[in-house]
Amino acid sequence: MNESALRSAFLKDDGGHAYLLIRNAIRDEIAGGKLKPGAALAPERELCVLYGVSRITVRKAVEGLVEEGLLTRTRGSGTYVSMPSITRVEKNFAILTSFSEDIRSRGYKPSSIWLKKTTSMTTPEEALALGLSPGSLVHRFHRIRCADGVRVCLEFVVVPAQFLPSVDVVQESLYEAMAAAGSRPVRALQRLRAAPLSEAHSELLGVQTGECGLFIERRGFLSNGTAVEFSQCYYHGEAYDVIAELG
């Protein structure tokens, strides 16, 4: 039903069922992907104008979707499309594993949404982290990592070009491609901190701007101490637990 026809249906209705039509219209937009997880719902006053109904009718429709779990209200912020639920994934800092290995170990299917695969000269920050000379070539891999289709991580990885034949050899697992090339890291230095997600990162992960995420930076090394990986990852704060065994 298009917008004008929908409004006409509401105007002809006596008000008793208009909220159901609005509820179904919003539900259809969520199911069809027009309203994505984490997206803000239009304010009540805009919905009133759009559908030609009272604020009480709009509020009843929205409350029904909140009860269904399709929408989430945040006090002082607004109403948002709910995020898909996912069991939290444990990341063991005592073992050097890839994202794909972590996700498979929890019974989920890993997948990626690629943002960039490029080869170019290193930046000063990358050269310092990887011990490279200025102007050295590196491969860059930027992507959104998913577990069973749910976005849980933004991954930005740099690998010196000599350790992978091309960016195209990396399909799903970077570490599998590095292992095939004989350059999978055997140890790593990692640091992590809580970090509010920027507007750009929030949009890519499908969460509200300013939500707290987990930032993990890693430098991976070969057995001879050569740095072969520099990664910076932003994890959905509700999807990952970091554990470590202490002795």
Side-chain angles (χ1 to χ4, degrees):
M1 185 180 294
N2 61 37
E3 182 177 315
S4 61
L6 187 60
R7 185 181 293 110
S8 177
F10 292 144
L11 292 174
K12 291 178 181 177
D13 195 277
D14 64 1
H17 302 291
Y19 78 95
L20 292 176
L21 294 174
I22 298 173
R23 187 187 299 180
N24 290 338
I26 296 173
R27 187 189 290 113
D28 289 344
E29 289 188 346
I30 295 172
K34 186 175 181 180
L35 283 175
K36 300 183 182 301
L41 189 69
E44 286 183 357
R45 63 181 180 276
E46 292 184 19
L47 294 174
C48 290
V49 173
L50 174 63
Y51 297 122
V53 296
S54 69
R55 178 165 287 192
I56 293 175
T57 300
V58 166
R59 190 166 296 165
K60 188 173 182 179
V62 171
E63 286 176 350
L65 293 170
V66 171
E67 291 175 0
E68 289 181 32
L70 291 177
L71 296 178
T72 302
R73 276 203 174 107
T74 302
R75 186 180 297 275
S77 178
T79 304
Y80 299 85
V81 179
S82 300
M83 294 295 298
S85 60
I86 180 172
T87 301
R88 297 179 70 89
V89 176
E90 291 184 350
K91 173 64 178 175
N92 189 343
F93 257 28
I95 304 173
L96 181 55
T97 54
S98 67
F99 175 89
S100 296
E101 290 166 340
D102 291 337
I103 295 304
R104 291 192 188 109
S105 71
R106 305 302 297 177
Y108 300 115
K109 180 181 178 181
S111 60
S112 301
I113 301 172
W114 283 99
L115 305 173
K116 179 192 291 186
K117 283 185 185 182
T118 60
T119 301
S120 57
M121 289 192 299
T122 182
T123 66
E125 179 189 16
E126 293 164 353
L128 182 63
L130 293 166
L132 299 174
S133 302
S136 298
L137 290 179
V138 294
H139 299 315
R140 292 189 182 86
F141 305 95
H142 297 182
R143 53 182 166 170
I144 304 167
R145 307 306 305 272
C146 307
D148 279 357
V150 178
R151 302 181 181 201
V152 297
C153 170
L154 293 178
E155 183 181 80
F156 305 97
V157 184
V158 181
V159 175
Q162 67 264 35
F163 295 112
L164 282 174
S166 76
V167 294
D168 296 327
V169 299
V170 179
Q171 298 301 317
E172 184 54 52
S173 173
L174 171 66
Y175 273 20
E176 287 179 5
M178 295 182 77
S183 59
R184 174 169 174 149
V186 297
R187 70 177 183 88
L189 293 176
Q190 292 189 142
R191 63 186 181 94
L192 73 145
R193 66 172 184 267
L197 296 170
S198 68
E199 182 176 354
H201 291 166
S202 298
E203 184 176 351
L204 290 171
L205 281 176
V207 300
Q208 298 174 40
T209 301
E211 266 199 26
C212 189
L214 181 66
F215 172 76
I216 299 180
E217 184 176 274
R218 173 190 289 184
R219 287 193 297 152
F221 302 89
L222 299 178
S223 58
N224 63 5
T226 302
V228 293
E229 173 202 11
F230 177 52
S231 65
Q232 294 179 316
C233 300
Y234 297 85
Y235 290 86
H236 189 316
E238 296 183 356
Y240 249 66
D241 283 331
V242 175
I243 62 172
E245 181 178 349
L246 305 178

